[in-house]
């Protein structure tokens, strides 16, 4: 067994598979578990998925939203137990893998077109 | 059983703890090792247990070492290492990962990656000279290395141990008191938090931590 497979087998138990299919450009609702003392509550973070990185347990997603006219980007480890759920709110049309150009966009041009291409392949 | 093993660095990954935090971890693969020699105060002058790991072909070993490993009932082994102190074991016993089950912290000894011939700035964190103000082509130089008469007051040489450019890396490094995150006895894996010296595939010696700071000692006691 090669070294990469050893790590994959070891971390396989930590992977979650209950995500909907999403791709870069989609608007997501990320339900985060927030622990305050011994209480736990869920906070929803909504934003546009502008990039994905990593494989397996290392996979992270970058979600960008605008809060009080200020851009905020959060990077979530996808398989973290602190992420309760992910929902797709809107499917956006993205032609590239990383949407870093959205950082320079202001106003209406910040929005992405709704996805039309290849919709029937996505569940 | 001696709480020590010889293993190989497999690589790094991410590990999610029960409380949701994620920690960077290094995976070490450690197939069962053999006790190749038990040193005693009377015969050797000190107490120690020598373990060997990593089976190799006989032609990769030497005749003296083949004989040494054969006495422990094992084939030739690539790596041997000693753990000081008395341990409840005999020649030929096998040690597997389960010895670390109750161990909270381990020391990991490895050989760091070689960096080649490096200048003073990288090797010893020297500041170098200034970027401007008339400095000419000496921006990364170490500067003065003092006079040649400093070690004993007089002498023709530079002081011994003067930090200068030279070969960096490929030295034995001990990473102390690393938290053990998980043990996998079936696959002979040890998962420790943090980084381990050396390249992927490099041989490492893992032993239960020799000494702990106050905070870690308290954590180890609590389990």
């Amino acid at each position: 067994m090669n070294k990469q497979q050893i790590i994959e087998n070891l971390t396989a138990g930590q992977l979650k598979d209950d995500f909907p299919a999403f791709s870069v450009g989609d608007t997501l609702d990320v339900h985060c578990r927030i622990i305050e003392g011994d209480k736990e509550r869920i906070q929803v973070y909504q934003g546009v998925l502008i990039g994905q990185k990593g494989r397996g347990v290392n996979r992270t997603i970058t979600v960008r939203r605008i809060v009080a006219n200020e851009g905020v980007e959060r990077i979530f480890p996808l398989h973290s137990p602190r992420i309760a759920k992910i929902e797709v709110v809107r499917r956006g049309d993205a032609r590239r893998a990383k949407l870093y150009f959205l950082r320079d966009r202001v106003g209406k041009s910040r929005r992405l077109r709704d996805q039309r291409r290849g919709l029937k392949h996505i569940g | 059983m001696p709480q020590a093993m010889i293993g190989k660095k497999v690589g790094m990954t991410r590990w999610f703890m029960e409380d949701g935090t994620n920690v960077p971890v290094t995976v070490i693969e450690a197939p069962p090792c053999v006790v190749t020699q038990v040193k005693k105060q009377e015969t050797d002058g000190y107490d120690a247990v020598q373990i060997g790991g990593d089976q190799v072909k006989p032609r990769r070993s030497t005749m003296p070492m083949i004989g040494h490993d054969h006495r422990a009932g094992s084939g030739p082994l690539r790596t041997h290492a000693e753990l000081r102190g008395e341990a409840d074991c005999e020649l030929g016993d096998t040690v597997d990962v389960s010895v670390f089950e109750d161990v909270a912290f381990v020391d990991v000894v490895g050989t760091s990656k070689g960096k080649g011939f490096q200048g003073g700035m990288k090797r010893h964190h020297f500041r170098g000279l200034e970027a401007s103000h008339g400095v000419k082509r000496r921006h990364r130089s170490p500067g003065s290395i003092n006079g040649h008469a400093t070690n004993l007051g007089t002498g023709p040489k530079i002081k011994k141990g003067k930090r200068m450019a030279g070969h960096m890396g490929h030295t034995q490094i001990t990473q102390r008191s690393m938290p053990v995150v998980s043990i996998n006895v079936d696959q002979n894996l040890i998962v420790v938090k943090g980084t381990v010296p050396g390249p992927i595939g490099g041989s490492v010696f893992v032993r239960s931590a020799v000494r702990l700071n106050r905070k870690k000692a308290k954590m180890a006691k609590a389990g």
Side-chain angles (χ1 to χ4, degrees):
Chain A
M1 200 154 53
N2 75 27
K3 298 195 162 45
Q4 198 55 48
Q5 282 169 336
I6 292 174
I7 290 178
E8 273 171 29
N9 289 349
L10 188 66
T11 53
Q14 302 190 353
L15 298 183
K16 295 192 278 186
D17 52 1
D18 51 352
F19 300 120
F22 54 78
S23 58
V24 171
D26 295 350
T27 304
L28 303 181
D29 264 355
V30 183
H31 296 244
C32 319
R33 285 205 176 91
I34 296 195
I35 297 154
E36 291 166 337
D38 17 314
K39 265 194 242 161
E40 189 187 292
R41 62 188 177 83
I42 294 215
Q43 195 179 59
V44 182
Y45 179 90
Q46 191 184 76
V48 182
L49 178 63
I50 62 163
Q52 302 188 57
K53 235 179 175 181
R55 296 275 176 280
V57 75
N58 252 337
R59 191 169 163 206
T60 58
I61 55 172
T62 307
V63 183
R64 180 179 171 85
R65 69 175 295 189
I66 307 297
V67 182
N69 234 350
E70 193 65 42
V72 175
E73 284 177 18
R74 279 185 74 176
I75 301 170
F76 296 99
L78 195 60
H79 296 283
S80 166
R82 287 203 182 156
I83 293 188
K85 195 166 66 169
I86 289 179
E87 282 173 336
V88 181
V89 181
R90 185 170 160 254
R91 293 202 181 275
D93 194 4
R95 283 176 172 244
R96 51 207 76 227
K98 302 279 190 283
L99 306 183
Y100 296 149
F101 64 88
L102 288 180
R103 291 168 179 169
D104 305 327
R105 295 277 179 94
V106 180
K108 270 188 180 177
S109 63
R110 202 181 266 147
R111 294 176 310 188
L112 295 168
R113 273 183 303 164
D114 276 343
Q115 183 162 30
R116 297 201 185 89
R117 294 174 293 135
L119 251 191
K120 57 189 165 193
H121 303 302
I122 294 171
Chain B
M1 271 296 139
Q3 285 178 327
M5 288 203 75
I6 287 163
K8 273 187 175 171
K9 180 168 159 182
V10 174
M12 291 195 70
T13 182
R14 185 195 292 264
W15 199 271
F16 293 109
M17 309 299 275
E18 277 170 17
D19 60 351
T21 51
N22 70 82
V23 291
V25 293
T26 308
V27 183
I28 298 167
E29 187 182 28
C33 297
V34 185
V35 174
T36 48
Q37 194 179 359
V38 181
K39 294 192 176 177
K40 289 266 160 54
Q41 181 75 42
E42 305 88 65
T43 50
D44 304 281
Y46 64 100
D47 289 310
V49 179
Q50 188 194 69
I51 57 167
D54 200 1
Q55 295 254 353
V56 284
K57 292 175 191 163
R59 70 185 169 87
R60 296 259 175 229
S61 193
T62 59
M63 283 312 283
M65 286 319 289
I66 290 171
H68 181 74
D69 293 335
H70 179 72
R71 218 170 299 151
S74 147
L77 302 168
R78 191 192 300 271
T79 320
H80 299 78
E82 264 184 26
L83 181 71
R84 281 291 191 116
E86 289 179 57
D88 181 25
C89 65
E90 281 177 17
L91 187 67
D93 283 355
T94 53
V95 184
D96 69 355
V97 174
S98 60
V99 295
F100 291 116
E101 252 162 12
D102 302 328
V103 176
F105 296 94
V106 290
D107 293 343
V108 180
V109 186
T111 308
S112 62
K113 283 183 185 174
K115 306 282 190 293
F117 191 100
Q118 294 298 335
M121 283 182 75
K122 187 183 172 99
R123 193 169 177 224
H124 302 298
H125 302 297
F126 288 166
R127 274 182 61 246
L129 303 190
E130 291 192 48
S132 68
H133 291 304
V135 177
K136 280 186 179 169
R137 301 173 292 282
R138 292 278 185 274
H139 306 287
R140 296 182 62 88
S141 102
S144 166
I145 51 171
N146 287 348
H148 284 198
T150 41
N151 215 22
L152 294 166
T154 57
K157 282 185 194 165
I158 214 76
K159 196 169 185 176
K160 269 194 180 175
K162 185 83 209 154
R163 293 177 301 161
M164 290 197 254
H167 191 270
M168 183 183 172
H170 200 268
T171 51
Q172 180 175 306
I173 304 278
T174 304
Q175 202 78 298
R176 289 190 189 276
S177 319
M178 306 182 75
V180 179
V181 175
S182 169
I183 297 286
N184 190 325
V185 181
D186 300 335
Q187 295 182 51
N188 300 318
L189 298 177
I190 308 166
V191 182
V192 295
K193 180 182 173 186
T195 55
V196 163
I200 285 175
S203 177
V204 290
F205 177 61
V206 187
R207 63 167 185 237
S208 69
V210 172
R211 59 170 180 269
L212 298 169
N213 65 22
R214 211 172 292 161
K215 189 179 163 195
K216 285 182 174 174
K218 204 184 268 179
M219 281 165 74
K221 218 173 194 179

